[in-house]
């Protein structure tokens, strides 16, 4: 089976910033993810994205095992495909990162009082 992370184009959360961000925004569920922001899924031929200015601006949580942090990239949280830029933050048992998209679409997200800058690295 292929590595599922090879199916997306996007940005990786800077590993040097990850622990500080997890401390600032504690995971609500057992599995901390906090790995990447997807630009496009399923297109292995897509060009890698460039560098961006990014900040965490909101949170979505379904209360049953999916927590995501909404990210504004170059001034917008709206992805070109109609979705919302986000990082799956934590998951409960039996939940999958892809469910963050559905949670945000169905329930929306709550803005943070103060946005937090985040360094995103283009995924090669």
């Amino acid at each position: 089976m292929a590595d599922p992370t090879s199916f997306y184009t996007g940005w990786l959360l800077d590993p040097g910033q990850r622990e500080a961000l997890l401390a600032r925004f504690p995971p609500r569920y057992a599995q901390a993810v906090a790995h990447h922001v997807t630009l496009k899924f399923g297109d292995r031929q897509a060009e890698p994205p460039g560098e961006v200015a990014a900040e965490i601006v909101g949170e979505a949580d379904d209360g049953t095992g999916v927590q995501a942090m909404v990210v504004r990239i170059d001034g917008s949280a709206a992805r070109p495909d109609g979705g919302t830029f986000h990082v799956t933050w934590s998951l409960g048992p039996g939940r999958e990162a892809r469910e963050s998209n559905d949670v945000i679409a169905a329930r929306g997200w709550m803005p943070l009082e103060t946005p937090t800058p985040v360094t995103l690295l283009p995924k090669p």
Side-chain angles (χ1 to χ4, degrees):
M1 175 181 231
D3 174 5
T5 63
S6 69
F7 297 166
Y8 75 91
T9 301
W11 302 269
L12 302 173
L13 201 63
D14 181 348
Q17 195 178 29
R18 186 175 184 269
E19 291 306 315
L21 289 168
L22 287 169
R24 178 159 171 74
F25 304 109
R28 291 214 176 93
Y29 304 105
Q31 180 186 354
V33 181
H35 182 262
H36 70 273
V37 175
T38 299
L39 173 60
K40 191 171 186 181
F41 185 81
D43 181 357
R44 292 183 187 201
Q45 305 304 315
E47 291 293 318
E51 292 185 12
V52 293
E55 55 191 349
I56 295 174
V57 296
E59 179 180 15
D61 188 340
D62 68 357
T64 61
V66 175
Q67 177 190 21
M69 303 308 289
V70 174
V71 178
R72 185 165 45 210
I73 294 180
D74 290 340
S76 178
R79 254 185 356 216
D81 67 0
T84 301
F85 287 123
H86 66 276
V87 178
T88 298
W89 208 247
S90 69
L91 297 169
R95 304 302 296 270
E96 297 182 15
R98 64 179 172 77
E99 293 179 74
S100 294
N101 293 297
D102 298 332
V103 169
I104 294 168
R107 301 173 65 98
W109 53 278
M110 295 296 297
L112 298 176
E113 214 171 284
T114 304
T116 299
V118 61
T119 301
L120 298 177
L121 308 173
K123 179 183 173 285

